[in-house]
Amino acid sequence: MNAKLKGEARRKIILDGYFNNEPLKDIAAKVGCSLASLKVSASKLGCTRTPRAAAEFRRGFHVPEHKRQDYYQLMIAGQYKARECAQILGLLTMESSGAE
């Protein structure tokens, strides 16, 4: 599927990929374009992710509003990693993190 797609097929793949929360690299590979080109196309279609949604997608978990300040305090002052902060705050259990 390395051939470049045009028009409606390209738009459908981009919209479906964003809707299904697929990684941007995978969507770009399906469309046959660069990551930058995909982001421009998605912006023109109006389906880009907000910075908060993109961060949650990268982290793999959601930080509730009432725990957000504690989370950032641990990240900055405590110098913990994102997954460690989530485990400390009870957002991510040991089983769901994949640790044995």
Side-chain angles (χ1 to χ4, degrees):
M1 198 157 194
N2 289 336
K4 289 192 175 186
L5 298 173
K6 299 283 183 184
E8 193 60 36
R10 178 184 171 98
R11 283 190 281 280
K12 180 165 177 30
I13 291 172
I14 293 171
L15 290 172
D16 288 345
Y18 268 87
F19 179 74
N20 294 328
N21 276 330
E22 294 179 22
L24 297 181
K25 288 181 181 180
D26 293 350
I27 301 170
K30 287 181 187 177
V31 174
C33 67
S34 69
L35 197 57
S37 176
L38 172 69
K39 289 180 181 181
V40 169
S41 297
S43 177
K44 288 180 181 178
L45 293 172
C47 64
T48 57
R49 295 180 180 134
T50 64
R52 182 175 286 176
E56 288 175 1
F57 180 76
R58 286 191 303 271
R59 281 194 303 255
F61 58 88
H62 172 71
V63 179
E65 201 62 44
H66 66 281
K67 291 190 177 184
R68 193 168 303 278
Q69 184 176 359
D70 295 335
Y71 176 80
Y72 288 121
Q73 186 69 25
L74 286 170
M75 286 279 294
I76 296 167
Q79 297 184 346
Y80 288 101
K81 295 180 181 177
R83 291 221 174 260
E84 293 170 340
C85 293
Q87 288 173 347
I88 290 169
L89 295 173
L91 303 175
L92 191 66
T93 61
M94 290 299 285
E95 294 83 34
S96 63
S97 69
E100 292 182 10

